[in-house]
C-alpha cells in the first residue's frame, strides 16, 4: 500500500507560533529525566512541525504501550456500528464456556461498556490476581475475580478489562485486531505497517503491545478530532467519538498519586480527559493529544518515568503557540524551527576509544554479572569484549543467546538484527567500558558497564520494560516469512 503523506504547511500559515515550538524543544531537551523520541504537531489538518531525535527515525515502529487501548476502543466502535457487539451485552454472554464457573452476581452483571470505560467494579488493577486464578486464560481469571463494587460505579485502571474487550472483538470478528482494523481503519487512514504483541493463546493484547509510527498516532488523533471523518469519508460514528472521548467516569484520586493532574479529569472509552482536550497515552510518554478548541493534534513518543512533567511542558509551551490568526513573532523563527527539527538528535553516551596500552587486556575479556547471575539485569549471564578489523564489539549473553553490539565512541552505531538497536559510549577510564543500548522499537535504554579489574558486569534500565522477556524480544513482532 502506498501511504500518502499528511498535508503539510508552515506554522504561521496555520496560526502556530514557531517560537513556541522552539521553546518546547528547548524545554524538553533540558528536562531531567525526559528523553524525547519524536514530535508531530498538526493544526487545521496540516503538519506544521515534525521531528525525530536521532537515532529514532520517522519510519521506525515504536512500542505505544497503553496508547494501544485507544486503537482497541476504535475497533470497538467499528464493531458496534457493524452490529457485532452491543455495549449493554453481559460480558459473560461472549464466553459461554465459562458460564458455569462465573457465579458472582457482580461479575455476571458486568457489561461490555464497563470493560471499555474501566468500570468493571474492581477497585484496583487486577492483572496479577487474575493471572494467578487462571494462568492459561486471563479472561476466565478476570471474570472469576469478584468486583468489590457494582459495575459502572467506580473507575480502576485495569489491564484485564481491556484484554477481555479485545478478546471479545477477536472472537466475534474471527480475526486479530490488526486484521480487523486494516480495511476499516488502518488502510483508510493511510497507516502502513503496525505490529501487535500476542499472548500465548495467540491473541493480540489489546491493552498494550501495539507498535506503530508517530505518523500513525497523529492520524488516529486527526480522525477523532474530525468526529470520525477522514477525507470526506465517515469511518466512525459521530456518536461513538463523542461518547468515547468524554468523561464517563470520574478518576480523581484513582491512580493513587497527588501529582497527576492530567489523570484526574475523567475517563471515556479508553481515552483520558486532559486539562486541555483529551488523549490516548502509553507508559513512558507515548501520547496522542487531541485539542478540539485549538483544532490541533500532537503525537509524541518519549522515554520518561514522569509523564506529567512532559505534559506540563506541552501546556506551558505548545498550547500558547496556537493562535487564532497568523502569529506576530519574528519570521526567522520558522527558519530556525525547520533547521532545528532537521537536526534533532540524542546525545551519545560519553566514552573514548580503547586505551592503547590496555588493548591486549580488553580484547577477548569476559565479564560476569556483579553479585552473580541472579543479580544480573535484565537477566544477563555474561558479556565479552572483542577487537576485530572493524573496531570493537561488546557481546551480551542471556542464557546462551548472544547480542553483538558494535562500538563507535563519539556517536551512535545502529543495527537492525537480531534486534533493532543503537549503541553509544566507550571507555570512561582505563578500567571501565560504559555503553548505552537504545532498543529502537521501544522506549527503553539499557546502560551496561564492564569493569576490567574484577571482570564484572553491571546493567540497569533507564525505563524498565513492562512486558518482560529477553533482550531479543524488545522489537516489534515480525510477520512469518
Amino acid at each position: 500500500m502506498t501511504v500518502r503523506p499528511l498535508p503539510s504547511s508552515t506554522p504561521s500559515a496555520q496560526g502556530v507560533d514557531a517560537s513556541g515550538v522552539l521553546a518546547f524543544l528547548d524545554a524538553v531537551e533540558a528536562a531531567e529525566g525526559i528523553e524525547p523520541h519524536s514530535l508531530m504537531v498538526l493544526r487545521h489538518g496540516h503538519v506544521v512541525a515534525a521531528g525525530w531525535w536521532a537515532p529514532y527515525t520517522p519510519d521506525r515502529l515504536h512500542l505505544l504501550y497503553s496508547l494501544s487501548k485507544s486503537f482497541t476502543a476504535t475497533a470497538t466502535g467499528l464493531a458496534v456500528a457493524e452490529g457485532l457487539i452491543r455495549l449493554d451485552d453481559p460480558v459473560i454472554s461472549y464466553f459461554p464456556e465459562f458460564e458455569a464457573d462465573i457465579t458472582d452476581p457482580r461479575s455476571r452483571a458486568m457489561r461490555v461498556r464497563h470493560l471499555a470505560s474501566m468500570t468493571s467494579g474492581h477497585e484496583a488493577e487486577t492483572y496479577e490476581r487474575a493471572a494467578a486464578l487462571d494462568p492459561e486464560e486471563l479472561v476466565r481469571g478476570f471474570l472469576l475475580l469478584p468486583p468489590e463494587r457494582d459495575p459502572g460505579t467506580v473507575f480502576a485502571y485495569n489491564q484485564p478489562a481491556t484484554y477481555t474487550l479485545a478478546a471479545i472483538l477477536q472472537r466475534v470478528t474471527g480475526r486479530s485486531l490488526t486484521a480487523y482494523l486494516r480495511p476499516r481503519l488502518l488502510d483508510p487512514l493511510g497507516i502502513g505497517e503496525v505490529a501487535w504483541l500476542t499472548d500465548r493463546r495467540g491473541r493480540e493484547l489489546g491493552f498494550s503491545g501495539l507498535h506503530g509510527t508517530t505518523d500513525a498516532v497523529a492520524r488516529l488523533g486527526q480522525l477523532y478530532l474530525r468526529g470520525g471523518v477522514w477525507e470526506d469519508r465517515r469511518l466512525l460514528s459521530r456518536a461513538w467519538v463523542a461518547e468515547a472521548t468524554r468523561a464517563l467516569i470520574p478518576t480523581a484520586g484513582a491512580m493513587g498519586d497527588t501529582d497527576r493532574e492530567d489523570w484526574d479529569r475523567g475517563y471515556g472509552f479508553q481515552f483520558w480527559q486532559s486539562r486541555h482536550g483529551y488523549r490516548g497515552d502509553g507508559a513512558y510518554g507515548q501520547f496522542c493529544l487531541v485539542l478540539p478548541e485549538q483544532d490541533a493534534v500532537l503525537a509524541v513518543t518519549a522515554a520518561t518515568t514522569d509523564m506529567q512533567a512532559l505534559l506540563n511542558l506541552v501546556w506551558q509551551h505548545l498550547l500558547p503557540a496556537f493562535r487564532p490568526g497568523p502569529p506576530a513573532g519574528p519570521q526567522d523563527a520558522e527558519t530556525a524551527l525547520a533547521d532545528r527539527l532537521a537536526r534533532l538528535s540524542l546525545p551519545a553516551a560519553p566514552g573514548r576509544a580503547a586505551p592503547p596500552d590496555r588493548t591486549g587486556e580488553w580484547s577477548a575479556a569476559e565479564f560476569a554479572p556483579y553479585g552473580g547471575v541472579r543479580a544480573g539485569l535484565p537477566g544477563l549471564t555474561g558479556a565479552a569484549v572483542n577487537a576485530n578489523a572493524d573496531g570493537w564489539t561488546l557481546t551480551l549473553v542471556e542464557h546462551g543467546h548472544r547480542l553483538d553490539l558494535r562500538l563507535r565512541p563519539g556517536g551512535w552505531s545502529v543495527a537492525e538484527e537480531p534486534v533493532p538497536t543503537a549503541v553509544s559510549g566507550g571507555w570512561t577510564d582505563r578500567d571501565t567500558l560504559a555503553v548505552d543500548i537504545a532498543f529502537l522499537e521501544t522506549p527503553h535504554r539499557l546502560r551496561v558497564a564492564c569493569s576490567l579489574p574484577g571482570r564484572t558486569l553491571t546493567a540497569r534500565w533507564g525505563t524498565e520494560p513492562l512486558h518482560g522477556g529477553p533482550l531479543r524480544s524488545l522489537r516489534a513482532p515480525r510477520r512469518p516469512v
Side-chain angles (χ1 to χ4, degrees):
M1 183 189 76
T2 300
V3 177
R4 289 193 298 171
L6 290 166
S8 61
S9 177
T10 62
S12 61
Q14 305 304 323
V16 178
D17 186 351
S19 298
V21 184
L22 283 167
F24 173 77
L25 298 178
D26 288 340
V28 78
E29 289 183 346
E32 184 176 354
I34 297 177
E35 179 183 288
H37 293 169
S38 70
L39 169 70
M40 290 184 69
V41 181
L42 279 66
R43 183 88 190 283
H44 304 324
H46 293 76
V47 179
V48 297
W52 286 258
W53 279 261
Y56 294 87
T57 56
D59 58 348
R60 176 74 66 184
L61 298 183
H62 198 283
L63 175 58
L64 302 178
Y65 275 118
S66 283
L67 181 48
S68 310
K69 292 179 172 71
S70 299
F71 285 85
T72 300
T74 304
T76 303
L78 293 167
V80 167
E82 293 178 3
L84 297 175
I85 61 174
R86 292 186 296 270
L87 291 176
D88 289 316
D89 282 346
V91 173
I92 190 61
S93 69
Y94 292 94
F95 302 97
E97 68 272 31
F98 305 147
E99 177 78 25
D101 300 332
I102 311 306
T103 58
D104 181 81
R106 285 173 171 161
S107 293
R108 297 183 68 85
M110 196 185 304
R111 301 294 192 257
V112 172
R113 68 169 61 253
H114 300 140
L115 301 178
S117 59
M118 295 288 189
T119 57
S120 64
H122 298 95
E123 294 181 336
E125 171 66 60
T126 65
Y127 186 89
E128 291 186 1
R129 290 177 290 158
L133 286 172
D134 192 332
E136 299 300 321
E137 173 53 273
L138 187 61
V139 170
R140 182 175 177 274
F142 172 62
L143 293 176
L144 283 172
L145 192 64
E148 296 85 359
R149 306 265 291 275
D150 289 341
T153 63
V154 62
F155 171 86
Y157 199 65
N158 193 355
Q159 311 306 327
T162 312
Y163 177 87
T164 301
L165 178 63
I168 291 172
L169 290 168
Q170 290 171 91
R171 176 165 287 200
V172 299
T173 65
R175 314 186 76 183
S176 69
L177 293 172
T178 302
Y180 179 68
L181 286 173
R182 176 55 65 189
R184 295 164 176 82
L185 179 80
L186 303 179
D187 283 348
L189 292 189
I191 293 174
E193 181 186 6
V194 298
W196 217 316
L197 293 178
T198 59
D199 65 5
R200 67 183 68 185
R201 302 181 68 89
R203 286 188 190 132
E204 292 179 343
L205 298 181
F207 66 86
S208 186
L210 180 63
H211 295 68
T213 62
T214 315
D215 180 83
V217 174
R219 289 171 190 255
L220 181 73
Q222 188 65 24
L223 173 67
Y224 274 84
L225 180 66
R226 290 289 174 260
V229 173
W230 186 265
E231 295 181 343
D232 299 324
R233 177 184 172 188
R234 178 161 293 284
L235 302 181
L236 286 171
S237 74
R238 181 173 295 278
W240 174 265
V241 172
E243 191 77 352
T245 61
R246 71 181 182 91
L248 298 172
I249 187 76
T251 58
M255 303 298 287
D257 194 320
T258 58
D259 189 26
R260 296 176 67 88
E261 187 172 354
D262 281 291
W263 280 263
D264 287 343
R265 303 282 171 156
Y267 197 75
F269 288 152
Q270 312 289 293
F271 283 92
W272 292 92
Q273 293 294 297
S274 297
R275 278 177 284 174
H276 308 279
Y278 57 88
R279 72 189 189 284
D281 70 32
Y284 302 128
Q286 326 317 313
F287 287 115
C288 176
L289 300 169
V290 182
L291 306 173
E293 289 188 11
Q294 290 75 27
D295 193 29
V297 171
L298 306 176
V300 178
T301 63
T304 180
T305 57
D306 192 349
M307 293 169 65
Q308 185 63 71
L310 180 52
L311 285 176
N312 290 344
L313 295 180
V314 169
W315 308 143
Q316 182 180 352
H317 299 290
L318 287 180
L319 193 70
F322 299 117
R323 307 291 179 82
Q331 294 298 312
D332 58 358
E334 289 201 350
T335 302
L337 176 60
D339 180 65
R340 177 77 169 276
L341 291 169
R343 294 185 298 104
L344 293 175
S345 65
L346 298 176
R352 300 181 295 274
D357 62 331
R358 303 293 293 275
T359 56
E361 295 176 76
W362 275 103
S363 184
E366 296 185 353
F367 303 85
Y370 180 78
V373 171
R374 288 189 177 182
L377 176 67
L380 300 178
T381 52
V385 177
N386 289 282
N388 51 54
D390 296 326
W392 291 83
T393 299
L394 170 66
T395 300
L396 302 181
V397 182
E398 286 182 295
H399 302 287
H401 293 276
R402 297 164 54 93
L403 178 59
D404 295 324
L405 305 165
R406 183 180 177 184
L407 304 181
R408 185 168 66 89
W412 291 97
S413 178
V414 176
E416 297 298 326
E417 297 295 340
V419 58
T421 56
V423 180
S424 66
W427 280 262
T428 56
D429 57 48
R430 289 161 43 84
D431 293 332
T432 308
L433 172 65
V435 174
D436 278 15
I437 305 136
F439 291 85
L440 292 175
E441 293 180 345
T442 78
H444 303 304
R445 185 191 291 211
L446 185 65
R447 296 179 171 93
V448 174
C450 298
S451 177
L452 191 60
R455 298 296 198 273
T456 56
L457 161 73
T458 61
R460 62 182 178 88
W461 289 109
T463 54
E464 187 170 355
L466 300 180
H467 291 299
L471 296 180
R472 62 186 180 278
S473 70
L474 292 176
R475 65 180 303 165
R478 298 300 191 258
R479 294 179 181 175
V481 178

